[in-house]
Amino acid sequence: MTHERYEDSHLYRLRHSAAHLMAQAITEMYPGARLAIGPPIENGFYYDIDFPEPVSENELKGIENRMRELAKLNQPIERKVAASRDEAKRVIMEECTLGQGEAVAHYKLELLDMVPEGEEISFYDQQATDKKGELRRFIDLCRGPHIESTGEIKHFKLMSLAGAYWRGDVKQKQLTRIYGTAFETKEDLELYLHNLEEAKKRDHRKLGRELGLFMFSERVGQGLPLWLPKGAALRDALCDFLKEEQTRRGYEGVVTPNIANAKLYEKSGHLLTYRDKMFPFMEDEEKETFVLKPMNCPFHIEIYSSSLRSYRDLPVRLAEFGTVYRYEQSGELAGMLRVRGFTQDDAHLFVRPDQLLAEFKGVVDLMMAVLKKLGLNEYRVRVGTKEPSSDKYVGHDENWQLAESAIKQACDELGLEYEVSPGDAAFYGPKLDLIIKDALGREWQMGTVQVDYNLPERFDLEYIGEDSKPHRPIMIHRAPFGSLERMIGLLTEQYAGAFPFWLAPVQVAILPIADRHVEYAKHVAEQLQGFPSQVVAEDEQVAFATETVDSPGLRVSIDGSRQTLGKKIREAQRAKVPFMMIVGDNDAEAGTVGVRDREEGDLGAMSLTEFVARIRPML
Amino acid sequence: MTHERYEDSHLYRLRHSAAHLMAQAITEMYPGARLAIGPPIENGFYYDIDFPEPVSENELKGIENRMRELAKLNQPIERKVAASRDEAKRVIMEECTLGQGEAVAHYKLELLDMVPEGEEISFYDQQATDKKGELRRFIDLCRGPHIESTGEIKHFKLMSLAGAYWRGDVKQKQLTRIYGTAFETKEDLELYLHNLEEAKKRDHRKLGRELGLFMFSERVGQGLPLWLPKGAALRDALCDFLKEEQTRRGYEGVVTPNIANAKLYEKSGHLLTYRDKMFPFMEDEEKETFVLKPMNCPFHIEIYSSSLRSYRDLPVRLAEFGTVYRYEQSGELAGMLRVRGFTQDDAHLFVRPDQLLAEFKGVVDLMMAVLKKLGLNEYRVRVGTKEPSSDKYVGHDENWQLAESAIKQACDELGLEYEVSPGDAAFYGPKLDLIIKDALGREWQMGTVQVDYNLPERFDLEYIGEDSKPHRPIMIHRAPFGSLERMIGLLTEQYAGAFPFWLAPVQVAILPIADRHVEYAKHVAEQLQGFPSQVVAEDEQVAFATETVDSPGLRVSIDGSRQTLGKKIREAQRAKVPFMMIVGDNDAEAGTVGVRDREEGDLGAMSLTEFVARIRPML
């Protein structure tokens, strides 16, 4: 399967031209403004400009209006090639600056110097005469390509201002970067803007705080999340689900320390290849050095090699929710998506070569089961293979071929479409990545499966074959979620905090209408969660009908506060609880509950038996 | 309740006299041997001796025989007080050395110098004439007290040899320490020796290896256990049990990082009071310092103080299986009982003063429920209070009194006997410790509950009271297991690896008699564990009767190897699996299993329904 690359698309050219159109408007409106560079980017374009006076976000509307006026002139965009470097210099100084000369041409002249000798020097020129008969023109040093005419630029918006250093160098002057976006249709633009708004609302950092999922603390440190009770409940639900899937598939759990003597990572080679991502070392006076673990693999290898393995013992599948620490730069930290401490849903499979296909297939099948359970139904599969020309890879060619064909065959047999990405393999073996598309169309790199011939070699791993001789196993590294932190960040945004029923931290919020209904609410809670509630009632209580159900073991809350029912409902809505149960006099007497579904609204009164029958399939 | 202190007991004096008896035998047998000190200790006594020639373990039997001969002489033991220091010196040089003089008196003369001026200088003298008419005499510089006569020393044994520096100082001469033990009755001695043998068999380090529970790795580092699959299953079973108990009791789970910025522990005061137990710090170039967490409390405090708490929100009970690291000296590490990385079953309760009694009681009640489930029915409760004369404690006296009386009242209301141990409080508040007596009569310090007024003060914790004003909560720290490592070490020894059914890593081992019964074994396994087994059969399989049961979700193994049934049974016995199920032709045809109980032996053939009914109450 091949897709048109974004860089080759009409949309890419449209955005590039929109950047020029913005530059034309600015050149007209801000004499003396010096243009730097203005490329298309993912989701839009920008232009870096050195303004004579600072500009503010308020001025973007005016620039946008001027762009609309210029677009309506439908200026044809023409490519022109300079006959010589001197000619190009003249065009920049005179035509590009509309006669303002060298001072305004500053950055473009530097860019001209960067064009390699012998390369064609091209300009894009757009001009038209307006209603008043004035010539409006913009010509820019540019490789292109562009669209035919500015009339095509109809659906665009300037988004924001930011600072940007010339040539990305903090020692150079800081310029003003104006971001904009453009689309081919009004619908596309509106969807994009809507999704942007939606993404802000869904921002997992914001929702994480509002829903009480997790927090960061300055005293604990950047990138080190603390999971609050509701977030911990989410984690548990995810782990319990995966643990059960793994047990069914013959995985065995292990638990290993968060630190090790540096010797372990010296042996694994990580001290050489991974040191810059590791936390500062812990060195004691007697020169013993401990390191915080950035990866679980060497620990699982120590466990594999702690006993003699026979060919009949393989595959050995060791799984751990292993908390690792990586010293990401503080500027790169981003909520739960990039943190310094996180828990991988890690496992390592030690397999015989003849088991590689079946085990890889088993792993991919597990990942598909995970995606389905999580409701992540849009994804693509990328197979990372060797860059044929590079020599950064270790291991024998025949092993690489064996592994690559096992990966492809596994996908084929599971009916999975995949794209092959040469050069995306790890240095020690090929891999498969899952890239999820979320509800807003954004892509997220998720779980990964990697084949590894390197670590078994480094640690001299063995099993005794049917021939009674030692053989080398192959390792498979895999993490379907990637990490709990990243997955919960993603799911929070995917569901805007309204997690599926099986995953929701609180599944049912019971709202007694008045304090006198608290005892009945407690009876309901006990039936649903399987144990008595700790809430204390203060007033005299109404009598109630009791119904006993086989408890589905739900996570249940009772709002025993003295607030109005309206307020209680609004709080449960804000907490995005899947079901509310409103209980009052009639319910207590009849032994029913008034059920309100987060999506479907009021479902009316029902018995607990009816409710439990309704939710069982959702668990 | 008061117990007689060991130091005041007859047994203590008996052992002290046994040390003298051993010294007498040695003095007779090894002329030139120089005696140093010989006190009674827990479980026995020793004497440090500077022998003219090295002695070996083989010689202990001879010394023991000589002791028996001397004991039979029934020498009365007499206390004598020296009239002066000079007189004492003379007794040491002449009588104690049996005339060998200053060279042999060396250490005793040093000891004499250590007796403070003005203090009584006493000797214990034992003598009798033997059958041959020879006087046998031993007199030793000693504070005593002793028993009446050596005839009482009947049940004793010399145990081992070790090196020991004079006055415990490595710069002094290394002496030979001979350990022995003595009891008042033959039964006591035999029980002690039996228990010692039993303790060796039960050593959790040995069993941990044999049963595949955990391992240590030189590359990972000392005191950093790796949990193997069966040990991880044990951990999970313990955690699941406690989690459920805690959820029922209104605890909420949280998850916090294993590291923090040093600022956190500066604020908590641990950098001052606990630094020598902390791992070396991680310092980066920009002077940010991270520390490995030795305690979870400051993290839970950050969570408590992350939102405004009202008096109605309290108590807040935050629980975490929190993995902490403490830099124990390598000489102090001992299997799982003292490690450098371990997981506490930690929780912190933030309570109002008026809730302290009820919450403390709740915690103690939980601990009792834990002990009961674990089958640890012998224990004592120690309440650690302030040392009245010391000034090392922080906080107001009225708070201390409030807390101490809450602890005592909680015990009284729960009908728990306890001993008060002044000076055993933490510096920040009183506490309650549980001390378990195991199956061999050994005591283990286990879970603890502590009341803390200090950290709420340091972190300025608050809740808004009914009066709308800020108030200070009290914290309770508690860990019923203490740590998973220590608890599993203890349970391994308590049960000699034969864990109770609910806890056993493998609960049922299914043993197909031949390969043709593997499919039937898989049917049985699926019924018991609730999902299909991954074992692969190779031969043609027998037809079998199927029976469907409501799966109890057991941990089940199938021995699909080609070994004889006898070998399979021995392996399951060695693994101390609670139930074996032997399945052959008759079982497959009838849909039964041949059940063998670890304790009760063969239970005969039964249906799965019968088996499940039998084990349900044990879960």
Side-chain angles (χ1 to χ4, degrees):
Chain A
M1 262 183 47
T2 58
H3 301 274
E4 185 187 45
R5 294 190 331 144
Y6 173 49
E7 291 74 11
D8 300 328
S9 69
H10 176 263
L11 181 61
Y12 189 81
R13 295 195 297 281
L14 178 77
R15 287 169 174 172
H16 197 169
S17 300
H20 279 214
L21 190 68
M22 178 170 81
Q24 182 175 14
I26 287 167
T27 312
E28 289 186 6
M29 295 167 73
Y30 300 88
R34 306 196 289 180
L35 302 180
I37 56 164
I41 53 170
E42 198 194 345
N43 296 323
F45 60 86
Y46 69 79
Y47 217 117
D48 286 348
I49 297 157
D50 188 357
F51 283 95
E53 304 283 334
V55 295
S56 77
E57 298 255 353
N58 298 333
E59 295 169 56
L60 295 184
K61 201 73 218 163
I63 299 171
E64 207 177 284
N65 289 341
R66 177 70 67 110
M67 284 170 72
R68 275 184 222 294
E69 189 208 328
L70 290 165
K72 278 189 195 136
L73 296 180
N74 199 12
Q75 311 164 87
I77 306 175
E78 238 181 300
R79 182 169 188 272
K80 289 179 176 169
V81 176
S84 68
R85 207 163 267 266
D86 281 347
E87 165 68 5
K89 198 167 171 188
R90 191 201 55 76
V91 173
I92 289 172
M93 305 252 280
E94 293 173 12
E95 300 182 36
C96 293
T97 64
L98 299 175
Q100 293 178 91
E102 185 156 2
V104 167
H106 178 75
Y107 300 102
K108 292 293 175 188
L109 290 174
E110 267 198 48
L111 290 170
L112 178 63
D113 285 344
M114 284 152 68
V115 178
E117 208 55 51
E119 196 173 284
E120 223 175 44
I121 301 170
S122 62
F123 290 85
Y124 280 80
D125 190 1
Q126 58 201 46
Q127 49 182 299
T129 311
D130 67 12
K131 286 180 200 161
K132 297 181 195 157
E134 273 178 53
L135 180 71
R136 311 282 283 272
R137 183 184 180 201
F138 178 75
I139 177 168
D140 201 359
L141 175 70
C142 180
R143 274 209 196 84
H146 282 267
I147 52 173
E148 300 289 308
S149 152
T150 60
E152 292 175 43
I153 309 168
K154 288 178 179 146
H155 314 293
F156 64 92
K157 184 170 163 55
L158 299 191
M159 305 297 292
S160 61
L161 280 183
Y165 294 101
W166 168 234
R167 299 168 75 172
D169 178 353
V170 293
K171 292 187 216 105
Q172 302 272 0
K173 183 157 191 193
Q174 200 182 27
L175 312 176
T176 302
R177 176 171 293 179
I178 303 182
Y179 284 103
T181 193
F183 284 87
E184 289 166 329
T185 68
K186 189 171 173 233
E187 292 69 33
D188 285 353
L189 176 63
E190 282 176 355
L191 179 62
Y192 174 74
L193 296 175
H194 169 266
N195 280 351
L196 265 192
E197 278 310 301
E198 193 56 29
K200 268 188 219 159
K201 276 191 244 160
R202 289 171 183 235
D203 186 314
H204 72 279
R205 286 164 293 200
K206 179 169 162 282
L207 284 174
R209 218 168 23 242
E210 286 172 11
L211 299 175
L213 301 181
F214 48 80
M215 62 174 275
F216 291 91
S217 141
E218 190 264 332
R219 269 200 285 258
V220 171
Q222 290 181 303
L224 296 170
L226 286 75
W227 292 85
L228 303 174
K230 283 181 182 158
L234 257 181
R235 266 177 82 111
D236 276 356
L238 273 184
C239 291
D240 287 350
F241 155 66
L242 188 57
K243 240 183 201 175
E244 194 188 319
E245 282 294 327
Q246 291 182 162
T247 302
R248 284 169 172 272
R249 290 158 193 265
Y251 286 74
E252 299 179 292
V254 296
V255 179
T256 67
N258 303 98
I259 61 169
N261 194 299
K263 281 186 278 184
L264 183 69
Y265 287 99
E266 197 181 307
K267 179 83 180 167
S268 70
H270 287 107
L271 285 199
L272 277 176
T273 56
Y274 210 74
R275 185 158 192 161
D276 58 334
K277 286 267 182 171
M278 290 170 78
F279 267 73
F281 293 1
M282 291 169 268
E283 284 169 29
D284 78 355
E285 288 156 11
E286 283 131 48
K287 295 294 162 231
E288 194 170 8
T289 302
F290 298 94
V291 299
L292 212 43
K293 85 170 161 187
M295 298 198 177
N296 301 301
C297 4
F299 288 89
H300 294 184
I301 288 173
E302 290 292 296
I303 289 177
Y304 176 86
S305 58
S306 71
S307 68
L308 186 70
R309 310 283 178 172
S310 122
Y311 70 99
R312 293 196 64 127
D313 299 330
L314 267 53
V316 171
R317 309 176 188 94
L318 301 180
E320 176 172 21
F321 291 96
T323 303
V324 296
Y325 292 86
R326 298 185 185 168
Y327 201 39
E328 305 289 350
Q329 291 182 19
S330 57
E332 285 175 0
L333 299 172
M336 292 305 240
L337 304 182
R338 185 161 290 202
V339 286
R340 285 177 166 175
F342 56 97
T343 302
Q344 292 182 306
D345 56 325
D346 212 356
H348 294 92
L349 292 79
F350 300 84
V351 310
R352 303 190 307 250
D354 64 288
Q355 294 171 325
L356 182 60
L357 171 62
E359 288 303 311
F360 201 94
K361 205 171 140 186
V363 169
V364 176
D365 185 63
L366 169 60
M367 289 175 101
M368 294 299 122
V370 168
L371 290 185
K372 194 170 168 209
K373 180 78 176 182
L374 297 176
L376 299 170
N377 300 319
E378 283 202 63
Y379 56 86
R380 58 193 176 91
V381 174
R382 185 175 60 204
V383 175
T385 58
K386 229 172 168 171
E387 173 69 65
S389 62
S390 167
D391 59 358
K392 72 167 183 171
Y393 304 97
V394 299
H396 303 296
D397 273 344
E398 64 203 294
N399 283 340
W400 277 84
Q401 267 160 30
L402 179 73
E404 285 184 18
S405 69
I407 295 176
K408 289 173 186 170
Q409 197 181 334
C411 291
D412 289 340
E413 290 183 12
L414 292 166
L416 272 189
E417 287 188 0
Y418 59 90
E419 56 196 70
V420 175
S421 183
D424 254 355
F427 76 87
Y428 49 75
K431 65 173 181 164
L432 179 152
D433 290 320
L434 271 181
I435 296 129
I436 305 301
K437 191 173 257 186
D438 79 1
L440 302 183
R442 296 171 301 177
E443 288 201 328
W444 307 63
Q445 156 87 51
M446 226 190 69
T448 184
V449 203
Q450 305 181 351
V451 179
D452 185 353
Y453 290 93
N454 176 47
L455 284 177
E457 195 75 30
R458 288 190 79 97
F459 281 87
D460 198 20
L461 298 187
E462 285 181 357
Y463 65 89
I464 302 303
E466 214 166 346
D467 58 4
S468 303
K469 288 181 189 150
H471 295 264
R472 183 83 72 221
I474 307 167
M475 270 177 81
I476 301 175
H477 308 244
R478 45 109 280 181
F481 297 153
S483 80
L484 295 175
E485 285 68 17
R486 195 172 164 79
M487 180 48 74
I488 289 175
L490 160 57
L491 291 174
T492 305
E493 303 215 355
Q494 167 78 0
Y495 291 109
F499 297 102
F501 181 70
W502 70 272
L503 197 55
V506 175
Q507 297 171 303
V508 178
I510 307 175
L511 314 181
I513 292 177
D515 193 66
R516 69 181 181 278
H517 307 118
V518 166
E519 278 302 324
Y520 178 56
K522 286 170 72 172
H523 163 71
V524 171
E526 183 167 355
Q527 294 306 309
L528 297 180
Q529 68 192 9
F531 56 85
S533 161
Q534 299 256 330
V535 173
V536 177
E538 286 164 24
D539 290 350
E540 203 177 314
Q541 299 291 304
V542 298
F544 54 85
T546 60
E547 184 188 1
T548 310
V549 293
D550 183 17
S551 174
L554 301 183
R555 294 180 289 275
V556 172
S557 72
I558 297 177
D559 188 341
S561 71
R562 299 202 156 219
Q563 301 179 95
T564 63
L565 181 62
K567 187 122 193 252
K568 289 179 180 180
I569 291 176
R570 281 193 300 281
E571 287 199 356
Q573 273 169 338
R574 199 190 50 73
K576 314 206 182 204
V577 178
F579 290 101
M580 291 180 223
M581 283 187 177
I582 296 155
V583 295
D585 289 331
N586 294 342
D587 296 298
E589 199 183 328
T592 58
V593 287
V595 178
R596 210 183 148 85
D597 179 304
R598 184 177 59 192
E599 270 108 41
E600 296 173 35
D602 194 5
L603 302 181
M606 59 177 83
S607 71
L608 290 182
T609 306
E610 284 174 275
F611 177 76
V612 170
R614 189 180 182 98
I615 56 94
R616 279 239 188 251
M618 298 158 69
L619 285 173
Chain B
M1 261 183 47
T2 58
H3 301 274
E4 184 186 46
R5 295 190 328 144
Y6 173 49
E7 291 74 12
D8 300 328
S9 69
H10 177 263
L11 181 61
Y12 189 81
R13 294 195 299 279
L14 178 76
R15 287 171 174 171
H16 197 168
S17 299
H20 279 213
L21 189 67
M22 179 171 78
Q24 182 176 13
I26 288 167
T27 312
E28 290 186 3
M29 296 167 72
Y30 300 87
R34 306 196 290 182
L35 303 179
I37 56 163
I41 53 171
E42 199 194 344
N43 297 322
F45 60 86
Y46 68 80
Y47 217 115
D48 286 347
I49 296 157
D50 189 356
F51 283 94
E53 303 285 332
V55 296
S56 76
E57 298 255 353
N58 298 334
E59 295 168 57
L60 296 185
K61 202 73 219 160
I63 301 171
E64 208 178 283
N65 290 340
R66 178 71 66 112
M67 285 169 72
R68 272 184 226 295
E69 189 209 328
L70 290 166
K72 278 189 195 136
L73 296 180
N74 199 12
Q75 312 165 87
I77 306 174
E78 239 181 299
R79 183 169 187 272
K80 291 179 175 167
V81 176
S84 67
R85 207 165 268 267
D86 281 346
E87 164 67 5
K89 200 169 169 185
R90 189 201 57 77
V91 171
I92 289 172
M93 303 251 280
E94 293 172 12
E95 301 181 35
C96 294
T97 65
L98 299 175
Q100 296 179 88
E102 185 157 3
V104 167
H106 177 75
Y107 300 102
K108 292 293 174 188
L109 291 174
E110 268 198 48
L111 290 169
L112 177 64
D113 284 345
M114 284 150 70
V115 178
E117 208 54 52
E119 197 173 282
E120 221 176 46
I121 300 168
S122 62
F123 290 84
Y124 280 80
D125 189 3
Q126 57 203 46
Q127 48 182 299
T129 310
D130 66 14
K131 288 180 200 163
K132 299 182 198 158
E134 274 177 54
L135 180 71
R136 311 282 284 270
R137 183 184 180 202
F138 178 74
I139 177 167
D140 201 0
L141 174 70
C142 179
R143 274 208 197 83
H146 283 266
I147 52 175
E148 302 289 309
S149 152
T150 61
E152 292 175 44
I153 309 169
K154 288 180 179 144
H155 313 294
F156 63 91
K157 185 171 161 57
L158 299 191
M159 307 297 292
S160 61
L161 280 183
Y165 294 101
W166 168 235
R167 299 168 75 170
D169 179 352
V170 293
K171 291 187 216 105
Q172 302 272 359
K173 182 155 192 197
Q174 201 183 23
L175 312 175
T176 301
R177 175 169 295 178
I178 302 181
Y179 284 104
T181 192
F183 284 88
E184 288 165 330
T185 69
K186 189 170 174 234
E187 292 68 35
D188 284 355
L189 175 64
E190 281 174 357
L191 180 64
Y192 175 73
L193 296 176
H194 170 267
N195 281 352
L196 265 191
E197 277 311 299
E198 192 56 29
K200 268 189 219 160
K201 277 191 242 158
R202 289 171 183 234
D203 187 314
H204 71 280
R205 286 164 294 198
K206 180 171 161 279
L207 284 174
R209 218 171 21 244
E210 286 172 10
L211 300 175
L213 301 181
F214 48 79
M215 60 174 276
F216 291 90
S217 142
E218 190 267 331
R219 270 201 284 260
V220 170
Q222 291 181 304
L224 296 170
L226 286 76
W227 291 85
L228 303 174
K230 283 182 183 159
L234 258 181
R235 266 178 83 110
D236 277 356
L238 273 185
C239 291
D240 287 349
F241 155 66
L242 188 57
K243 242 184 198 174
E244 194 188 318
E245 281 295 325
Q246 290 181 163
T247 303
R248 284 169 173 272
R249 289 157 194 267
Y251 286 74
E252 299 178 293
V254 297
V255 179
T256 67
N258 303 97
I259 61 170
N261 195 298
K263 280 185 279 186
L264 183 68
Y265 287 98
E266 196 181 308
K267 180 81 180 167
S268 70
H270 287 108
L271 285 200
L272 278 175
T273 56
Y274 210 75
R275 184 159 193 162
D276 58 335
K277 286 266 182 172
M278 290 171 77
F279 266 74
F281 292 1
M282 291 168 269
E283 284 170 28
D284 77 355
E285 287 157 12
E286 280 130 48
K287 295 293 160 228
E288 193 169 8
T289 302
F290 297 93
V291 299
L292 212 44
K293 84 170 162 187
M295 298 199 177
N296 300 301
C297 6
F299 288 89
H300 294 183
I301 288 172
E302 289 294 296
I303 290 176
Y304 175 88
S305 58
S306 70
S307 69
L308 187 69
R309 311 283 178 171
S310 122
Y311 69 99
R312 294 196 62 127
D313 300 329
L314 267 51
V316 171
R317 308 176 189 97
L318 302 180
E320 176 172 21
F321 291 96
T323 303
V324 297
Y325 292 87
R326 298 185 185 169
Y327 201 39
E328 304 290 349
Q329 291 182 20
S330 57
E332 286 176 0
L333 299 173
M336 293 305 240
L337 303 182
R338 185 161 288 201
V339 286
R340 285 178 166 176
F342 56 97
T343 302
Q344 293 182 304
D345 56 325
D346 211 355
H348 295 93
L349 291 80
F350 300 84
V351 310
R352 304 190 307 250
D354 64 288
Q355 294 170 325
L356 181 59
L357 171 62
E359 289 302 311
F360 201 94
K361 204 171 141 187
V363 168
V364 176
D365 184 63
L366 169 60
M367 290 175 101
M368 294 299 123
V370 167
L371 290 185
K372 195 171 167 208
K373 180 78 175 180
L374 297 176
L376 299 171
N377 300 318
E378 284 202 62
Y379 55 86
R380 58 193 176 91
V381 174
R382 185 176 60 205
V383 175
T385 58
K386 230 171 168 168
E387 172 71 61
S389 61
S390 168
D391 59 357
K392 71 166 186 175
Y393 304 97
V394 300
H396 303 296
D397 273 344
E398 63 201 295
N399 284 339
W400 277 85
Q401 268 158 31
L402 179 71
E404 285 184 16
S405 70
I407 294 176
K408 290 173 185 170
Q409 196 179 335
C411 292
D412 289 339
E413 290 184 11
L414 292 165
L416 271 189
E417 287 186 0
Y418 59 90
E419 57 196 70
V420 175
S421 182
D424 254 354
F427 76 88
Y428 48 75
K431 63 172 182 165
L432 179 152
D433 292 319
L434 270 182
I435 296 130
I436 304 303
K437 191 175 259 188
D438 78 2
L440 301 185
R442 295 171 302 178
E443 288 202 329
W444 307 63
Q445 154 87 50
M446 226 190 67
T448 182
V449 203
Q450 307 181 350
V451 179
D452 186 354
Y453 291 93
N454 175 47
L455 285 176
E457 195 75 31
R458 287 191 78 98
F459 281 87
D460 198 21
L461 298 187
E462 285 181 358
Y463 64 90
I464 302 303
E466 212 165 349
D467 57 3
S468 304
K469 287 180 189 152
H471 296 263
R472 183 84 70 219
I474 307 168
M475 269 176 81
I476 301 175
H477 308 245
R478 44 112 276 180
F481 296 153
S483 80
L484 296 176
E485 285 69 17
R486 195 173 164 78
M487 181 46 76
I488 290 176
L490 161 57
L491 291 174
T492 304
E493 304 215 354
Q494 167 78 3
Y495 291 109
F499 297 102
F501 183 70
W502 70 274
L503 196 54
V506 175
Q507 296 170 305
V508 178
I510 307 176
L511 313 182
I513 291 178
D515 193 66
R516 68 181 181 277
H517 308 117
V518 166
E519 277 304 321
Y520 179 55
K522 287 171 71 173
H523 162 72
V524 171
E526 182 166 356
Q527 294 307 309
L528 297 180
Q529 68 192 8
F531 56 84
S533 162
Q534 299 255 331
V535 173
V536 178
E538 286 165 23
D539 291 349
E540 202 176 315
Q541 299 290 306
V542 299
F544 54 84
T546 60
E547 184 189 2
T548 310
V549 294
D550 184 15
S551 175
L554 300 183
R555 295 181 289 276
V556 172
S557 72
I558 297 178
D559 187 342
S561 71
R562 299 202 157 220
Q563 301 180 92
T564 62
L565 181 62
K567 187 122 194 253
K568 288 178 180 182
I569 290 176
R570 281 194 300 280
E571 287 199 357
Q573 272 168 337
R574 199 190 49 76
K576 313 205 181 205
V577 178
F579 290 102
M580 292 180 222
M581 282 186 177
I582 295 155
V583 295
D585 288 330
N586 294 342
D587 297 298
E589 199 183 326
T592 58
V593 287
V595 178
R596 207 183 150 83
D597 180 304
R598 184 176 57 193
E599 271 108 41
E600 296 173 36
D602 195 5
L603 301 181
M606 61 178 80
S607 70
L608 291 181
T609 306
E610 284 172 275
F611 178 76
V612 170
R614 187 180 183 95
I615 56 93
R616 280 237 188 255
M618 297 158 67
L619 285 173

